[in-house]
Amino acid sequence: MTFREEIRRQAESARREMVRNGELLTRSEFRARLRVSERRLGQMLATGSVFSMVVDGAAYFPAVLAEATVDRQRLQAVCRILVPAPSACRLDYLISPQGNLGDIVPLKALADDASYRRLREMARAWAAEWSRTTLKIYAGFNEPGGSEPTYVAVCEADPRTNLWKRALQAMDAGGYITPPGPYPRRDTATVLIFRSEAGKPDDVLEARLDVDIVDDMAHMRIHAGDVSQELDAISVVGDDTIVDVVHRIVLSLCDMQRR
């Protein structure tokens, strides 16, 4: 048995014990405690207000999510923030003391207004760690995969956040950018945006952006999934490098999303 298989076996054993102890509830038990319909529970699951864990192929729900002594509205709001993390990690976060909360258990922080505001802030930062967005620029006519990227920027961000907002965050973050520059000026470039999730080996390509600059105007085509779309050209006068150009393009795409 490999180390990973042993860890998985121990986790499954611990979950079975939680079922026996009543820490994990069946779907019908959980609905009864919350006093919600099957339809309402489905809606809560879809939004991340509650979550389940799989034990021997069946879904079970943490009993603490139906605890009558906690502020359920606040608890469900925090659960929605934690969605990027795996269910088991979300539960552990909620019931374990957190150093950035002064070693307070998040469930206990729900009762105090100031602690609750701090919890929401820290929960967002914690949840973002489970997903990364990477932007790569390939300058010139080089095809991705055939050469090293001219520029790579990475940030930890909630995958539910708009793609271009995450891409801009990666370029503006500053902490995860390679190489440091200077960057060349090119008339063509290909930009790839990936999403990676903790515990999953493969990155997901979210979008490809083809850029062609003619007379200080950037012409762009976006490929996302099976959809390809040509966008209106924008002026890039004053942008000295291909990285400057891409930054302006991403910023303009963020502005378009807000309209």
Side-chain angles (χ1 to χ4, degrees), residues 70-119:
V70 302
D71 187 322
R72 289 178 179 170
Q73 184 175 358
R74 287 184 172 184
L75 174 56
Q76 290 169 17
V78 173
C79 285
R80 289 192 290 272
I81 294 172
L82 300 178
V83 165
S87 294
C89 298
R90 290 184 236 174
L91 177 58
D92 184 66
Y93 179 85
L94 289 171
I95 63 177
S96 303
Q98 302 297 323
N100 53 24
L101 293 175
D103 287 330
I104 297 175
V105 174
L107 284 176
K108 303 294 184 183
L110 299 171
D112 177 77
D113 289 347
S115 296
Y116 173 60
R117 287 193 295 270
R118 177 68 174 170
L119 169 59

Side-chain angles (χ1 to χ4, degrees), residues 27 30 63 89 124 139 166 180 184 195 198 216 229 237 244 250 259:
R27 192 181 188 96
F30 189 67
C89 298
R124 287 192 185 93
R166 285 186 278 121
R195 185 183 74 253
D216 289 323
Q229 179 184 7
V237 172
D244 295 331
V250 172
R259 293 172 190 169

